[in-house]
Amino acid sequence: MNNSHIQTVPLEKAYRLITHGPTVLVSANDGQDTDVMAAAWACALEFSPAKVTVVLDKSTKTRKIIENSGYFALQIPTLKQLEMVYSLGTLSLYNAPDKLEQSGVQLFKFADQEIPVVEGCAAWILCELIPEPHNQQAHDLFIGKVIAAYADDRVFRDGHWFYHEVSEEWKSIHHVAGGHFYTIGEAVTVKDTE
């Protein structure tokens, strides 16, 4: 993998990686199992310290791995990864032990980090779980303290997305239902803020 375009994102700007509502991939490893799943409900929670939330159903293996390890990553996949994302959202590691291989996932780790992440995404947010047992059990809501963030500078740099400068394959995907997604649309700006 060529990492020359991957740049560190300041933690106070990490929220910008998910404020546009993309479908995310959630990855984790607990020393025994590694899994990646698709999730549509991820959100920035706080600027400083940077925090995010993600909803993880009780039926998922990824959730169990996160509960065991205390760490996870959110990553922003692109249109070129649509088939992989859909596969990761429909297969379960419980029923398909070779889920990652079936889905065509290639993993890597950032230096000094143990959380596996998916190659080819536009951005990655590495998190330490903030245990909130009530929220996790009652609402399937997991909170993560952002410990590192990275983005591909071809599409995100200086704290901003540049989807208008890249080909369609780099655009984020947004899940609607079943196998139906949208890609991010055209940029528009309020005149008074130019």
Side-chain angles (χ1 to χ4, degrees):
M1 179 180 154
N2 177 0
N3 290 335
S4 66
H5 288 285
I6 298 175
Q7 304 296 317
T8 302
V9 174
L11 296 187
E12 67 273 8
K13 300 287 187 197
Y15 73 95
R16 291 185 177 179
L17 298 174
I18 58 173
T19 56
H20 63 296
T23 295
V24 298
L25 296 177
V26 184
S27 59
N29 173 282
D30 63 3
Q32 188 168 14
D33 292 305
T34 299
D35 200 11
V36 181
M37 66 175 279
W41 297 349
C43 183
L45 177 63
E46 212 168 308
F47 298 116
S48 182
K51 294 178 187 167
V52 296
T53 63
V54 63
V55 174
L56 304 170
D57 190 79
K58 292 172 185 66
S59 67
T60 66
K61 182 71 172 185
T62 307
R63 175 183 170 142
K64 179 61 88 180
I65 294 169
I66 292 168
E67 290 171 332
N68 290 341
S69 72
Y71 293 90
F72 64 95
L74 301 181
Q75 41 252 292
I76 292 67
T78 65
L79 180 58
K80 65 185 174 211
Q81 298 170 303
L82 181 65
E83 298 296 327
M84 177 189 67
V85 171
Y86 183 70
S87 179
L88 290 170
T90 55
L91 292 175
S92 170
L93 196 62
Y94 284 124
N95 302 327
D98 62 343
K99 168 187 171 178
L100 300 183
E101 293 80 20
Q102 279 188 53
S103 301
V105 173
Q106 297 293 316
L107 296 171
F108 73 101
K109 294 178 183 174
F110 288 102
D112 301 323
Q113 300 291 338
E114 289 302 314
I115 307 166
V117 294
V118 178
E119 282 187 13
C121 292
W124 303 263
I125 303 171
L126 283 59
C127 303
E128 180 179 354
L129 177 65
I130 298 173
E132 292 285 349
H134 172 74
N135 286 339
Q136 290 168 209
Q137 288 304 311
H139 307 294
D140 296 331
L141 182 69
F142 284 67
I143 300 172
K145 176 183 145 191
V146 178
I147 57 174
Y150 305 89
D152 190 301
D153 65 9
R154 290 171 285 191
V155 69
F156 185 93
R157 59 190 174 277
D158 303 321
H160 299 280
W161 286 106
F162 287 85
Y163 288 118
H164 60 286
E165 294 182 3
V166 296
S167 64
E168 288 292 314
E169 71 177 6
W170 277 102
K171 294 199 173 182
S172 60
I173 54 177
H174 304 257
H175 186 249
V176 178
H180 188 72
F181 293 78
Y182 281 95
T183 57
I184 189 92
E186 293 299 315
V188 293
T189 303
V190 175
K191 289 179 186 177
D192 292 343
T193 62
E194 292 178 338

